Amino acid sequence: KQEVTQIPAALSVPEGENLVLNCSFTDSAIYNLQWFRQDPGKGLTSLLLIQSSQREQTSGRLNASLDKSSGRSTLYIAASQPGDSATYLCAVGGGGADGLTFGKGTHLIIQP
Amino acid sequence: ETGVTQTPRHLVMGMTNKKSLKCEQHLGHNAMYWYKQSAKKPLELMFVYNFKEQTENNSVPSRFSPECPNSSHLFLHLHTLQPEDSALYLCASSQEPNPYYGYTFGSGTRLTVV
């Protein structure tokens, strides 16, 4: 059974810092990995999607990497802003309508 | 409307009530999912419908009953719920068997059982 772990569980940093969120998974037989953002009481917004054959994806100030063999992914946020404050969720997909397996998330606070 | 739409956004129901959550996707996907998000726990997959056929039921209590009349609509029928069923219920869709574009989620229904 796939298990996803996210470290740290919570993080508070001053505005402008670069930061890294970590995600690990136990079964490397994944189809893809997706990073989401969730604001309090809201649904999930997809940030980046990495296929199993890819090493990284970038969108603006966000960069996500994937090392499937070691079961790890990182989300790098450059020049953090208060608007980046949210919970960030890592999820791995097995394909074939298996759905996604989620970590518990990293609760991020960017201090103005 | 685009993406995945869920209604209602908020729902308060008594333990003896019967209610339904609705999800509609406008993406042309062929698989739809119900997830439950409780405080301090990861999102839990409840049900999967692939080509309108239920393919997964992760030991969900029978007081939750899904319905998928077509590939664009998904319902979750609720009856005799317990207070511990209070949570955010999220619907998602994908294109299977190879979800190259990932999964798209709705905004969720915040359910409170009193």
Side-chain angles (χ1 to χ4, degrees):
Chain A
K1 179 186 173 187
Q2 179 75 269
E3 293 184 5
V4 179
T5 303
Q6 291 188 245
I7 295 173
L11 182 63
S12 180
V13 300
E15 179 178 5
E17 284 200 7
N18 302 324
L19 51 98
V20 175
L21 308 183
N22 296 290
C23 172
S24 62
F25 46 94
T26 56
D27 185 349
S28 61
I30 66 171
Y31 188 80
N32 51 29
L33 184 146
Q34 207 163 347
W35 282 93
F36 294 90
R37 168 186 173 139
Q38 185 174 32
D39 293 291
K42 305 294 185 182
L44 306 184
T45 300
S46 182
L47 297 174
L48 288 165
L49 170 66
I50 309 178
Q51 306 301 332
S52 62
S53 59
Q54 298 175 327
R55 298 284 294 183
E56 65 176 348
Q57 283 288 331
T58 298
S59 176
R61 295 182 292 108
L62 305 180
N63 176 276
S65 68
L66 173 63
D67 184 343
K68 199 173 78 162
S69 61
S70 67
R72 295 183 180 184
S73 176
T74 61
L75 178 65
Y76 176 82
I77 303 176
S80 58
Q81 303 171 357
D84 295 330
S85 298
T87 296
Y88 290 80
L89 296 163
C90 171
V92 297
D98 286 344
L100 290 169
T101 302
F102 282 85
K104 290 185 177 181
T106 293
H107 181 55
L108 176 64
I109 296 175
I110 307 298
Q111 306 155 10
Chain B
E1 293 272 12
T2 59
V4 178
T5 304
Q6 290 187 241
T7 54
R9 294 295 302 275
H10 302 274
L11 178 62
V12 179
M13 60 185 289
M15 289 189 285
T16 58
N17 291 157
K18 290 184 179 181
K19 297 287 185 183
S20 296
L21 310 184
K22 179 183 176 182
C23 176
E24 183 175 0
Q25 60 97 359
H26 308 272
L27 301 166
H29 289 167
N30 58 13
M32 297 185 75
Y33 311 81
W34 280 116
Y35 284 84
K36 176 183 179 181
Q37 187 177 36
S38 306
K40 309 294 184 184
K41 296 174 69 174
L43 273 86
E44 302 169 79
L45 180 63
M46 299 175 70
F47 300 106
V48 179
Y49 276 84
N50 191 8
F51 292 99
K52 300 186 297 178
E53 297 295 323
Q54 183 176 320
T55 59
E56 186 96 16
N57 175 343
N58 282 342
S59 303
V60 179
S62 59
R63 57 186 183 269
F64 295 90
S65 174
E67 178 189 2
C68 188
N70 55 61
S71 59
S72 299
H73 293 85
L74 184 66
F75 296 89
L76 188 63
H77 303 299
L78 316 171
H79 64 97
T80 58
L81 293 190
Q82 305 298 311
E84 60 264 29
D85 297 323
S86 299
L88 181 67
Y89 289 85
L90 292 162
C91 173
S93 69
S94 68
Q95 184 62 30
E96 298 299 333
N98 297 315
Y100 185 81
Y101 295 103
Y103 296 73
T104 303
F105 281 78
S107 298
T109 294
R110 172 67 64 183
L111 174 66
T112 303
V113 181
V114 297

